Amino acid sequence: MLDCERSYFKTLYEAIRVINSSLEPMELLGRIAEQTAKALEVKACSLRLLDRSGANLLPGASFGLSKGYLRKGKVEVNKSKLDKEALAGATVHVRDASTDDRFQYKDAAKTEGIKSVLVVPLKLEDKKIIGVMRVYSAEERDFCESEVEFLIIMANLSAIAIENARLHQALKSDYELLTAFQYQTFED
């Protein structure tokens, strides 16, 4: 077994352990982003989630990116061709983010020291896409097939974790409303 494959399995194990131990979405996604960046030996990793309108990708979690880069502005799906492609279900590789027309914030990428980017969709079991997962490399590079497959698996695990957290929050809210209603009923 190659060292990179051993690292991928260890990262997958850790991601599954984290998903089973916490329902706090920000904690989950932050740890997944960190583990993914370390396993792929890249500068950074981020997860962005579609807003309710489907027009913007909102920050979910990240590892390795500066606050300045994260505050560069909102990612508008219509202006970010690479995200548009990923949200259609494709895996997108950008060799040089500072010159690729599909990248919305080329100057910010150059300032941040980002060269290559790999983007995959956050896809749920029913094929619904809820966002994107990106990894950023400081040097121009290609990603081999096993790296792409690993990122797709991490994105799918992240999508499941997000959905589980959302369902948990909805159940918790419903339970609190039901409990409040029952106490109100008994007091009258």
Side-chain angles (χ1 to χ4, degrees):
M1 182 180 289
L2 301 172
D3 285 345
C4 66
E5 290 174 336
R6 197 178 310 269
S7 173
Y8 297 163
F9 282 120
K10 185 178 175 186
T11 302
L12 284 171
Y13 172 77
E14 184 63 27
I16 291 167
R17 195 181 65 74
V18 168
I19 288 168
N20 285 329
S21 66
S22 175
L23 290 170
E24 290 299 323
M26 295 309 291
E27 178 188 339
L28 282 173
L29 298 179
R31 291 173 71 180
I32 288 172
E34 179 180 357
Q35 294 296 322
T36 302
K38 289 179 178 175
L40 290 175
E41 298 178 352
V42 292
K43 172 184 174 54
C45 178
S46 71
L47 293 105
R48 289 191 168 268
L49 305 175
L50 275 173
D51 67 5
R52 290 179 192 258
S53 71
N56 300 299
L57 284 164
L58 305 174
S62 67
F63 173 80
L65 296 172
S66 70
K67 287 182 181 176
Y69 184 76
L70 293 171
R71 293 181 185 150
K72 65 189 178 305
K74 61 184 174 181
V75 175
E76 298 174 64
V77 175
N78 281 335
K79 292 182 179 177
S80 178
K81 293 176 186 171
L82 75 120
D83 288 315
K84 203 171 190 176
E85 289 177 36
L87 291 169
T91 297
V92 185
H93 176 234
V94 173
R95 198 159 174 71
D96 186 349
S98 66
T99 60
D100 194 309
D101 288 336
R102 296 176 295 174
F103 207 81
Q104 185 179 356
Y105 293 101
K106 292 186 279 268
D107 292 337
K110 190 173 185 175
T111 302
E112 184 72 6
I114 295 170
K115 201 67 167 176
S116 294
V117 181
L118 183 63
V119 187
V120 297
L122 292 173
K123 196 181 299 184
L124 294 173
E125 192 174 330
D126 63 0
K127 308 294 182 203
K128 179 182 175 187
I129 296 173
I130 60 172
V132 297
M133 186 173 200
R134 296 180 181 186
V135 289
Y136 306 86
S137 173
E139 63 278 339
E140 195 169 305
R141 73 179 264 190
D142 292 317
F143 293 92
C144 70
E145 190 175 322
S146 64
E147 291 172 319
V148 172
E149 288 174 356
F150 175 74
L151 188 60
I152 290 169
I153 290 169
M154 293 305 290
N156 289 340
L157 282 173
S158 299
I160 291 168
I162 293 164
E163 190 65 10
N164 284 346
R166 285 180 178 169
L167 290 172
H168 176 76
Q169 287 295 77
L171 282 172
K172 187 177 172 185
S173 294
D174 289 348
Y175 177 76
E176 288 170 356
L177 284 173
L178 180 64
T179 302
F181 175 75
Q182 285 176 337
Y183 282 119
Q184 183 180 18
T185 303
F186 289 120
E187 289 176 6
D188 290 337

